[in-house]
Every structure is written in C-alpha cells, then in structure tokens.
Amino acid sequence: MGHKDRPNLIVGHNVSYDRARIKEQYFIENSHTRFLDTMSLHVCVSGVTSYQRAMLKSSKELSVADQEWSSQASLNSLAEVHKLYCNESLQKEPREIFVKGDLKDVLDNFQMLMTYCSKDVVATRNVLQKLYPLYCDRFPHPATLAGMLELGSAYLPVNSTWERYINECNLTYQELEIESRYQLSKRADENCALMEDNQYKNDLWMWDQDWSTQDFKLKKSTSKSKSKLKEAEFQHLYSFKDRIPARKPLLPGYPAWYRKLCSKPDEDDWIPGASNIGTGMQLVAKCPVVEPRKGNLESDDEMSHLWKDVEMNLSKKDYYKKEKKDNTNGQYTGTGVWCNLVLEGCCWFFKLPHKNGPSFKVGNPLARDFLNKFSENVLSGDGGESAKRVIQLARMMSYWRNNRDRIMGQTVGWTSEDFGAIIPQVVVCGTLTRRAMEPTWMTASNAKEERTGSELRSMIQAPKGYKIVGADVDSQELWIASILGDSNAAGIHGATPLGWMTLSGTKSQGTDMHSMTAKAFLPTAVAKIGSGPNETQVSTSKTKASS
C-alpha cells in the first residue's frame, strides 16, 4: 500500500486495527509508511479521565459542574469524536453486518456497506481537519508527532517457536488442570463425608454450606409384575423397577453444595464425582482451607519506635481516628478487616483485606491478585499436601488462564515457513497522560519458572542478520523534572539537589533519589517487617519510595 520508495502517511481512526490487516506491514523491509491515529490525537487534545468516561457513559443527567467539561470532551469512538468536532451525527448501524453477519450478508448489502465505509472515510478526514490544528497548537514540537508516528509502527518478529510455544502451553495447562480438578474433587469427597453423624456442624470451614439433601421418592405400587424366574427371592427387584420415577434426582442423599459440583449421567462428557469443580469457584477456597497468617507488624522494636514517632507527630484527634481498634483483646494481630461480628463472645470474623480498600469484598482468595500471597507465606493452605498442591497448581496456571485468549488471538503474518511477524495494535496515546496502550505486549510480565506461558516476551526473536536492542529510560519523569528545575534555578544541569542526585547519585552508595527518599522516611538502617521464617528485610539502600 502506497509507493514503496517514498514516504507515505495513512490516517485513520484507531488506525492500528487497519494496519494489522495490511500485507506489506508484515514484511521486514522498511515500507516508508507511517500511520496517524485520529483517536490518539483526540485523546491528546480532549481526552477524559476514568471518572469523566463513566459520567459520559451514564444515563443520568450530569451535574452543573460536569456539564462544563462535557461540552469540550467525548468518548473515543469515531461517532462521538465526529459529533464533538464537526457537530454531526454518524449512522453506525450498518457496522453490525460486519460484526454479526456472514459473507452472504455482506454480498447482499455490498453497495450500502461500501457507502457506509466511504462516509466513515469522509468523517475521519473532517475530524482530522478540525483536530490537527488543535493538536499542533497544544504540542508544537515536531518530536511529539515524530514519536507518535514511530510508536505506531511497532513490529514483532517471530519464528517457528511461536507455534511450539502455544502448543506446549496448551498441553501443559490441560495437564495441570486435570491434576487440579482431581485434587479438588478428592478434597470435595473428603468434605462430603462430614455429613455422617452431622460432623460438618463442628467443622470450622464447611458448617455454613448448604447440607440439605434430596430424597429418592418412589412411585406407589399399582400392580404386581410377574417374573418369568421361579426364584421368589428376585421377585421384589422386578416390582421395585416399576416404582422408579421417570425423572431421577441427581445424587439423592448427597448435600446440595456437592450436587452442584457434579454433572448429570446423561451428559456426553460425564465423569463420576465432583467433576465441575475448579479454582475459580468460591467454594474451592474452603476445600483447600485458605487461612491467613498471623503477622504482627509491631513485634519488632524498630517498627514499634516508628509507630510511636508517628503517634507523637499526629494530633490526638487524627491518631484516634486512624487507630485500628482491637476487638479481640490481643488474640488476633493480623491484617484482616474487622466485620463487627462476634459469636458467643469467642468467635471473631475478619474479612481478607482487598487491594482496593476495606469496603471491597474478596470473592476468591485463589484469584490472581492473591496467588502471590501464598508465595510470600501471607496466606497458606491448611488441608495437608493436597491443599498445598492445589495452591501450587493455581499459581502455575494463572498466567496462561488469564492471557491465553489474547495470546492465541494474535495475528501472525507468515512471510516464509520459519519467519513471521505480529503487528501489535498499539493505541499510541491511549490515556489522558498520553501513554501508549496495548493489552498483550505492553502488559507482559517477566518470565517465572512456575508460571506456564510467562516466557511470552522471549518468543520475539530477531531473524538472521538482525539484532533486538533494548532501551529503557529509567525514571524518565524524574529526569524531566530535574531538567525543568535546573533550568529555572540557574540554567545549569545539576544546579538543584534533585538535579545533582539525578546526575551523580548511585544506588550502590545510597545517593540516588530513591535511596535518599527512603532515608527520609525510614531513618533506621534496616527495618524488619513481618515475623516468622519468611520475614522481609527492607534496607534503606534498596527501598523504592514514591517521590
């Protein structure tokens, strides 16, 4: 697309989606083509925060304060952006044929759909005419535009290891999932046995489950069936057959919570036992029995002095407002959230602390956000080796379970048998702070041996004759802030303490910005946090603090 020997510029709304469908972009040779995204230009000029986005999507009438900014901002779709800058509405109904229809629907409505696409092109052009002058006025330096154009040309080379990576991850995940289901099913069977003599009533974790059972009701006997067998001892079996109901209940006599985990025998993939169990279910947290460790942060003398210093520096009103009340007379010193519920003066209930605050509830402690707590020994399993194995399997499967669809959905353009490329759909300016956004590659974490599929980034491999060069600007915002401060103070780089620490500070000597900030907050040499064999030592020379 475009002339291969001269620069070309393609403008589109969310243009990375279109770029991934251009054949020439998968060639390793430079195509001299760049892509300008009007959606990113809009975010730069009239982007909205998460709160503003929620208000614009809400059907409620905006307040007077919100109406002031709502007239100068919009959501990111082409229809909304076109309405904001051009004061005209677009008809987007024909798009549903591309989304929900098939090839026959497209052929039957070909002329109408081509007209729709042409109108979208005209709308994008009209938006660009209105938006580009505003962008140049807001960001006049050409480096900003050049950065957007270069970031919009991301290219990820892969080879045959990509397909092998996906196949091996799928096979490994299936094996781990089978083992996990087996361990959980075995644990569920053990808990089901608590029904004998009502033992579940004394079980700390399973007492609140639904232990109601379903009876096996027989039909009334109307006539005696005659058997051809002469033996009288088998006669009752034939008479019993006629009393069996046509619709048999599932597992009569078993508790309701266990029946929910079992499939019906008439299903094709029927497996006896609790086959529908998985780590994503809330009940599973009680099968391995997840319990929090009792960590006392104030057991260390240095931390106790730190809390006393904080107490002395706060006013009494603020201190008692922030003080965590102990409702257990010192018997519980963990980080659980008090539920204000006491049974018989001896049983206290605490919620697991949620990362977003005490007002949020934890749905499943085996979810992704809590799996690291098991590695850190904050949470543990109290169900023997099987519980520990279930938790270990959950950690091993977490990455591939959460990212499998996005990874397998990557479009690979193969230019030969052993070389291909992925065009990541990067939104160059996806946030109000103009950070790039991409759901798979820009969120890829470092590889960990115990997490299946976490080696995703290593699948990007340069072809023969090429090298991949990594460049990471450490503390970029800090550098920019120090340069601005130095230029304002004396016009010399390093004229301010911040600029000097940025230039000459080193982590090994404890003179960099992070170490100096840590020393200001933690005057002691080393602060120990936690208790027990897995206590964490935080050294002031290694602590990262937000400045």
Side-chain angles (χ1 to χ4, degrees):
M1 179 176 288
H3 200 284
K4 64 179 181 179
D5 295 328
R6 66 186 182 194
N8 304 285
L9 181 65
I10 298 176
V11 181
H13 197 78
N14 192 18
V15 74
S16 61
Y17 179 87
D18 305 288
R19 177 175 175 252
R21 286 150 182 83
I22 298 176
K23 177 182 177 181
E24 290 80 4
Q25 291 300 306
Y26 290 90
F27 299 153
I28 196 169
E29 295 82 9
N30 191 353
S31 64
H32 301 286
T33 301
R34 294 296 179 266
F35 296 82
L36 184 62
D37 186 15
T38 54
M39 184 172 71
S40 296
L41 296 180
H42 162 69
V43 172
C44 293
V45 174
S46 303
V48 293
T49 63
S50 57
Y51 166 77
Q52 291 172 328
R53 183 178 294 105
M55 289 294 100
L56 291 174
K57 289 183 177 180
S58 175
S59 58
K60 297 180 181 179
E61 185 178 354
L62 297 178
S63 62
V64 177
D66 290 334
Q67 289 177 358
E68 295 180 1
W69 58 260
S70 63
S71 60
Q72 305 176 32
S74 73
L75 299 177
N76 296 338
S77 66
L78 179 59
E80 295 291 339
V81 172
H82 187 266
K83 185 177 181 180
L84 174 66
Y85 296 105
C86 304
N87 294 321
E88 294 181 12
S89 300
L90 292 178
Q91 299 297 326
K92 304 296 291 185
E93 290 79 7
R95 180 181 57 183
E96 296 301 315
I97 298 178
F98 290 114
V99 177
K100 300 179 180 179
D102 53 18
L103 187 58
K104 185 179 182 302
D105 296 327
V106 175
L107 292 175
D108 294 341
N109 300 275
F110 184 78
Q111 292 300 330
M112 183 266 290
L113 292 176
M114 291 302 101
T115 302
Y116 160 77
C117 294
S118 301
K119 289 182 178 179
D120 267 8
V121 173
V122 174
T124 304
R125 173 183 174 274
N126 295 337
V127 168
L128 181 66
Q129 287 181 325
K130 298 283 187 179
L131 185 56
Y132 188 70
L134 298 175
Y135 172 81
C136 292
D137 182 63
R138 186 77 59 86
F139 308 100
H141 201 285
T144 307
L145 179 60
M148 291 182 63
L149 295 178
E150 285 302 312
L151 194 57
S153 60
Y155 183 89
L156 302 176
V158 295
N159 51 36
S160 58
T161 58
W162 174 258
E163 293 183 336
R164 186 178 65 188
Y165 158 76
I166 291 179
N167 293 333
E168 291 183 354
C169 286
N170 278 329
L171 290 174
T172 304
Y173 179 82
Q174 291 173 6
E175 293 175 356
L176 295 175
E177 188 176 33
I178 291 173
E179 183 182 355
S180 176
R181 287 180 181 273
Y182 168 74
Q183 296 287 353
L184 290 173
S185 178
K186 184 172 67 172
R187 185 67 179 173
D189 293 340
E190 294 174 359
N191 287 336
C192 186
L194 295 174
M195 193 169 182
E196 185 177 358
D197 298 331
N198 294 332
Q199 298 178 51
Y200 65 87
K201 293 183 178 180
N202 299 322
D203 189 83
L204 183 62
W205 301 98
M206 298 299 295
W207 63 271
D208 62 339
Q209 296 302 304
D210 187 358
W211 289 87
S212 61
T213 59
Q214 194 172 12
D215 296 332
F216 189 83
K217 297 181 180 180
L218 299 175
K219 295 188 295 184
K220 293 182 178 180
S221 179
T222 56
S223 61
K224 295 183 179 180
S225 60
K226 296 182 179 180
S227 172
K228 296 181 180 180
L229 295 176
K230 296 180 179 180
E231 291 81 358
E233 60 266 25
F234 296 108
Q235 184 63 40
H236 69 283
L237 296 178
Y238 285 90
S239 60
F240 182 77
K241 180 187 69 172
D242 297 332
R243 299 182 61 190
I244 297 177
R247 297 185 61 182
K248 306 177 186 65
L250 177 64
L251 296 177
Y254 283 81
W257 67 265
Y258 186 83
R259 294 199 304 270
K260 293 178 180 179
L261 304 177
C262 302
S263 57
K264 296 182 179 180
D266 55 355
E267 296 180 2
D268 296 335
D269 55 348
W270 176 75
I271 300 175
S275 58
N276 294 334
I277 196 169
T279 54
M281 305 175 68
Q282 289 185 344
L283 174 65
V284 172
K286 295 192 174 186
C287 287
V289 187
V290 176
E291 62 176 10
R293 293 285 187 182
K294 295 182 179 180
N296 187 359
L297 293 178
E298 298 186 12
S299 59
D300 188 87
D301 293 337
E302 294 175 349
M303 293 303 292
S304 298
H305 288 305
L306 180 60
W307 301 133
K308 291 178 181 178
D309 292 339
V310 173
E311 179 183 349
M312 293 175 62
N313 293 329
L314 283 174
S315 65
K316 286 188 176 181
K317 181 179 179 181
D318 291 337
Y319 172 72
Y320 287 111
K321 184 178 179 181
K322 295 178 181 294
E323 184 185 26
K324 184 178 179 180
K325 295 182 179 180
D326 182 13
N327 299 280
T328 64
N329 298 323
Q331 297 189 41
Y332 177 78
T333 56
T335 58
V337 181
W338 172 249
C339 295
N340 196 25
L341 181 61
V342 181
L343 292 182
E344 299 182 1
C346 63
C347 297
W348 304 281
F349 287 83
F350 293 84
K351 294 192 301 183
L352 286 175
H354 196 281
K355 64 174 184 176
N356 295 332
S359 60
F360 292 85
K361 295 181 179 180
V362 175
N364 184 4
L366 293 179
R368 176 179 58 182
D369 296 331
F370 290 90
L371 286 178
N372 290 334
K373 299 299 181 183
F374 291 98
S375 301
E376 298 168 2
N377 211 27
V378 176
L379 293 175
S380 65
D382 192 29
E385 293 299 324
S386 63
K388 294 180 181 179
R389 182 57 179 167
V390 168
I391 295 170
Q392 182 184 16
L393 292 171
R395 289 202 305 267
M396 295 171 70
M397 294 189 298
S398 63
Y399 184 85
W400 190 247
R401 181 195 297 116
N402 297 326
N403 297 277
R404 174 178 50 189
D405 293 339
R406 288 198 298 266
I407 294 174
M408 296 181 65
Q410 296 293 309
T411 301
V412 182
W414 296 100
T415 57
S416 65
E417 293 184 359
D418 193 42
F419 179 76
I422 296 174
I423 303 299
Q425 298 187 28
V426 179
V427 180
V428 177
C429 297
T431 67
L432 192 63
T433 56
R434 305 197 305 279
R435 279 185 174 270
M437 289 181 61
E438 199 278 332
T440 304
W441 299 101
M442 288 191 172
T443 59
S445 59
N446 294 328
K448 291 186 178 180
E449 186 176 356
E450 68 171 3
R451 296 201 302 174
T452 303
S454 61
E455 66 275 17
L456 171 66
R457 292 196 298 185
S458 64
M459 294 301 106
I460 305 305
Q461 301 177 11
K464 187 177 181 180
Y466 290 83
K467 297 289 184 181
I468 295 178
V469 180
D472 182 17
V473 182
D474 187 29
S475 304
Q476 184 176 6
E477 294 85 355
L478 193 63
W479 277 90
I480 296 174
S482 65
I483 292 174
L484 293 175
D486 293 342
S487 63
N488 182 66
I492 301 174
H493 200 10
T496 62
L498 174 61
W500 183 254
M501 281 187 289
T502 305
L503 275 177
S504 302
T506 60
K507 185 177 292 187
S508 60
Q509 297 180 359
T511 56
D512 65 304
M513 185 62 189
H514 294 306
S515 301
M516 298 299 293
T517 306
K519 289 179 181 178
F521 282 97
L522 295 174
T524 56
V526 176
K528 295 181 180 179
I529 300 177
S531 61
N534 287 336
E535 64 183 6
T536 304
Q537 292 188 354
V538 182
S539 173
T540 55
S541 63
K542 295 183 179 180
T543 302
K544 287 189 176 182
S546 177
S547 57

